[in-house]
Every structure is written in structure tokens, then in C-alpha cells.
Amino acid sequence: MPFAPKRQVVARWDAPGGAYHALIVDEGPARLPRSLHRWRLYLGHDAAEPSYGHYVSLPELPDLYGEDGAKWRESRVSWTPAGVRLTFWTGHELFVPAQAYEGGR
């Protein structure tokens, strides 16, 4: 099986007004084919080519997200002035304060 493409965006949510974006990025397998995928949450300005912004590593669990990460699209994101809350389809929640990603960090 060939390596998965690097830095593939599998889910996207835009903040009201479109200034910031929340993306789930598939960083591909850790080292070898069939290894677990490295998933990261990106929060920042650049939705087309996420680079400079705030990243949060997400768990590497086999078969939880689906081969192409389709399960991530079942998650919900809510934007508030205080920050962004990602609610996974499993019911788990992750809150990132606005100061962590505002200004392009």
C-alpha cells in the first residue's frame, strides 16, 4: 500500500466572517505503510495551504477515523469570542482559547 499524501485536509469549518479556519489535517502515516495516521487540528488564517497557525495533535487511534478521515466531518465546531470548541462525533470536546490562534500563531 502506498504512503498517504502528506498534509491532506479532510475536514474544514470556517469562523463567522471567514477570518479563521479550523481544519483537520491528515499528516499521513507515521513512518511505514499501514502505520497510524497523524491527525492535527489547525487553527489559522490560511485554509488553502495550512502552515503558519496553531496546531493541536490529535490521538492516533486505528480505525476510529476511517481510512480517509471521513469521520472527522461528523464533528461540530462552534466559534465564540473566547475561542473555538471542537465537539467530536464521539462526544469528546476540545476547546482552544482564541489567544492561541489569533494573530496567526
Side-chain angles (χ1 to χ4, degrees), residues 8 17 19-21 23 26 40 52-53 62-63 68 71 73 78 80 82-83 85 88-89 97 99 102 104:
Q8 179 181 352
Y20 293 101
H21 311 281
L23 311 173
D26 177 357
R40 296 201 309 169
Y52 189 70
D63 300 325
D68 62 355
K71 293 296 276 180
R73 292 186 286 279
S78 72
T80 68
R85 181 175 309 278
F88 303 103
W89 69 98
Q99 66 189 28
E102 286 182 343

Side-chain angles (χ1 to χ4, degrees), residues 22-70:
L23 311 173
I24 300 295
V25 180
D26 177 357
E27 297 283 348
R31 295 184 194 248
L32 302 171
R34 295 214 181 276
S35 3
L36 300 176
H37 282 243
R38 293 174 298 164
W39 304 99
R40 296 201 309 169
L41 169 66
Y42 164 84
L43 295 164
H45 291 291
D46 195 357
E49 187 64 37
S51 56
Y52 189 70
H54 184 75
Y55 284 92
V56 177
S57 294
L58 300 169
E60 300 173 7
L61 300 172
D63 300 325
L64 181 59
Y65 312 116
E67 186 67 26
D68 62 355

Side-chain angles (χ1 to χ4, degrees), residues 1-19:
M1 174 179 268
F3 284 102
K6 294 284 186 178
R7 301 186 60 75
Q8 179 181 352
V9 175
V10 297
R12 173 181 170 170
W13 301 271
D14 301 323

Side-chain angles (χ1 to χ4, degrees), residues 69-92:
K71 293 296 276 180
W72 286 115
R73 292 186 286 279
E74 296 178 26
S75 300
R76 294 182 321 273
V77 168
S78 72
W79 300 88
T80 68
V84 62
R85 181 175 309 278
L86 176 65
T87 305
F88 303 103
W89 69 98
T90 61
H92 294 84

